[in-house]
Amino acid sequence: MINVAILGYGTVGAGVYKVLDMNRETIARRVGEELYVKYVLDLRDFPGDPAQEVLTHNYNDILTDSDVMIVVETMGGLNPAYKFTKLALEAGKSVCTSNKELVAEKGLELRDIAKANHVNYLFEASCGGGIPIIHALDNALTADEIDAVTGILNGTTNYILTQMAEENEEFSEALKGAQKKGYAELHPEADIEGWDACRKIAILSSLAYGKYVSYKDVFTEGIKDIDTVDIAYAKSMGFKIKLLASSRRTEEGAWLMVAPKLVDGKNMLYHVNGVLNAVYVHGNALGDCILYGSGAGSLPTASAVAGDVISAARNHGRPIPSDWSDDALPLIPIDDVRNVFFVRFAGTADEAEAAFGKIEKVMIPEAEGEFGFFTTEMTEKEFRDAAEKSGKVIKAIRRA
């Protein structure tokens, strides 16, 4: 029997407990022996819940129990999750987590500690919920040179943008709906400002390219400034607006960005709506690949965590190889990244062409006193300089 402890009995922690219980026989067959949840750590009590029977309020009960081989960390945040994870790894216990904040901030260090102690630090559920993207990058795609990773990595923002496009809701109305349905937190800044997606693309890029990327170096814009006029322009041209987390390796160098982008129907991500997530990967041998599924929720995320638990059980005492170097991935300055921009403009066509060159106007009834147009491909700095020169740019959204 392999004993497991779960830290945190919230949405994901309770989901992991449920998955390990309801799929007990299948998991035992695949591992070769039964997995048993010996402890659940939480500050609260859960009368009437089966987890109450194994509940503890004291982490030392888990840390000092040599029978516990695997710790599941679903507490979220940095503290005390970082301390508890580090202590568990140093005590020779593998740790499986859904905590993208901790992985983005301390993941490299924790993987090194795990390796030194002949255990594993696994975090499939930290990026894309139930989508097995990390396993794909760490295993199935290791023969490829990956040169691009782009994804819809945040279900909250995708739901909001979908509601705005399909139900004609204002941003604030769609956000309230997301909160009511449990898709968004009371304080949703991490989602709508793009920070959540930023951490995830930093993790995925580190694995895809084999070198460390700090989320602090990722250019990040959220969706809070997207309005119904932006949505109307997008619809009129056959586009949808998606918050995309992207990274790419080019001859000039690598870059990462999180920003709202216009996506057309030829792009596979165009069809990913609601709270669903998807990750697109391009490799030099594979070509295009997309992984698509539930990016959040109790059981989908718990499924990914439970998959890591099985991997940790199968590889007890044997660190699973991972191509994630301590060396930092060199990034080109964001000013040098090239994009095509859709511009909302409050001046005349002559003023627009004086700043941006030849344009083709887009006009819609919802936008009085303005028009839109696409620029040619230009660097971020070239666009910023042109926008400042004209003084008439209302807003710009990049094209995917």
Side-chain angles (χ1 to χ4, degrees):
M1 179 179 291
I2 296 175
N3 289 299
V4 178
I6 299 174
L7 311 185
Y9 199 64
T11 300
V12 178
V16 173
Y17 186 94
K18 183 174 182 178
V19 169
L20 293 178
D21 180 60
M22 71 181 184
N23 295 337
R24 181 182 303 277
E25 292 182 6
T26 299
I27 291 171
R29 186 178 71 251
R30 290 172 178 169
V31 173
E33 55 185 306
E34 186 177 354
L35 267 64
Y36 173 70
V37 178
K38 189 173 183 181
Y39 298 99
V40 169
L41 175 74
D42 205 289
L43 295 175
R44 301 163 294 174
D45 287 307
F46 301 93
D49 191 295
Q52 184 69 32
E53 298 178 11
V54 294
L55 187 70
T56 179
H57 303 304
N58 186 351
Y59 180 60
N60 283 329
D61 291 343
I62 297 167
L63 188 64
T64 59
D65 190 335
S66 59
D67 289 338
V68 174
M69 289 172 47
I70 302 169
V71 172
V72 172
E73 186 272 299
T74 60
M75 306 174 75
L78 294 178
N79 296 302
Y82 169 65
K83 176 183 177 182
F84 287 179
T85 298
K86 184 177 180 181
L87 288 171
L89 294 171
E90 290 172 341
K93 306 177 191 297
S94 290
V95 176
C96 307
T97 186
S98 60
N99 189 343
K100 64 261 184 183
E101 185 176 356
L102 181 57
V103 176
E105 186 75 41
K106 300 287 187 179
L108 196 57
E109 175 193 347
L110 294 170
R111 269 209 166 179
D112 288 344
I113 293 171
K115 185 176 180 180
N117 289 276
H118 308 290
V119 292
N120 287 288
Y121 182 58
L122 304 175
F123 43 87
E124 181 64 72
S126 67
C127 299
I131 302 171
I133 179 61
I134 290 176
H135 179 80
L137 292 173
D138 254 353
N139 294 274
L141 300 179
T142 51
D144 271 65
E145 284 286 336
I146 305 298
D147 57 32
V149 180
T150 298
I152 296 171
L153 298 176
N154 183 272
T156 300
T157 51
N158 203 41
Y159 173 82
I160 290 171
L161 292 171
T162 299
Q163 289 297 109
M164 292 178 72
E166 295 184 356
E167 303 298 332
N168 297 316
E169 293 181 358
E170 298 278 354
F171 174 83
S172 58
E173 183 183 2
L175 173 57
K176 288 177 182 176
Q179 290 170 322
K180 186 176 181 179
K181 290 178 180 290
Y183 300 150
E185 302 289 341
L186 178 62
H187 301 288
E189 290 80 9
D191 294 321
I192 64 175
E193 298 282 2
W195 306 334
D196 177 77
C198 164
R199 293 186 175 98
K200 292 174 180 177
I201 194 61
I203 295 167
L204 294 179
S205 299
S206 295
L207 295 171
Y209 309 138
K211 293 184 180 293
Y212 175 67
V213 179
S214 171
Y215 71 93
K216 297 174 184 177
D217 295 329
V218 179
F219 177 87
T220 303
E221 287 182 5
I223 66 165
K224 62 184 179 61
D225 292 328
I226 298 297
D227 59 31
T228 53
V229 177
D230 297 321
I231 299 293
Y233 271 118
K235 282 184 177 181
S236 74
M237 299 182 294
F239 289 87
K240 291 181 182 178
I241 299 175
K242 301 290 186 182
L243 182 68
L244 298 188
S246 307
S247 70
R248 187 174 296 274
R249 288 197 294 185
T250 68
E251 292 182 0
E252 293 77 24
W255 56 264
L256 287 86
M257 174 180 288
V258 174
K261 290 192 175 182
L262 289 163
V263 179
D264 66 24
K266 297 177 182 178
N267 189 315
M268 292 180 284
L269 298 177
Y270 176 94
H271 306 283
V272 180
N273 297 312
V275 294
L276 293 172
N277 283 192
V279 184
Y280 158 87
V281 177
H282 184 271
N284 67 342
L286 171 69
D288 293 336
C289 172
I290 188 166
L291 289 87
Y292 168 83
S294 297
S298 176
L299 293 185
T301 306
S303 173
V305 177
D308 277 348
V309 172
I310 292 172
S311 294
R314 286 173 168 174
N315 293 277
H316 182 62
R318 181 180 60 188
I320 300 171
S322 176
D323 184 25
W324 188 0
S325 167
D326 292 353
D327 298 332
L329 178 69
L331 299 177
I332 62 174
I334 199 67
D335 278 353
D336 296 338
V337 174
R338 304 186 68 83
N339 277 300
V340 173
F341 298 82
F342 179 75
V343 180
R344 289 174 54 188
F345 199 77
T348 66
D350 288 342
E351 290 173 317
E353 292 188 342
F356 293 96
K358 185 68 175 176
I359 66 163
E360 185 174 335
K361 292 170 63 174
V362 177
M363 302 186 72
I364 58 173
E366 295 87 346
E368 294 184 9
E370 65 173 85
F371 61 89
F373 61 89
F374 282 104
T375 69
T376 58
E377 186 177 78
M378 56 177 54
T379 67
E380 292 281 327
K381 185 178 187 305
E382 288 170 342
F383 172 77
R384 190 169 62 250
D385 289 345
E388 290 176 359
K389 176 182 176 181
S390 73
K392 298 294 178 69
V393 171
I394 300 170
K395 187 184 297 184
I397 301 175
R398 299 166 184 86
R399 177 172 178 171

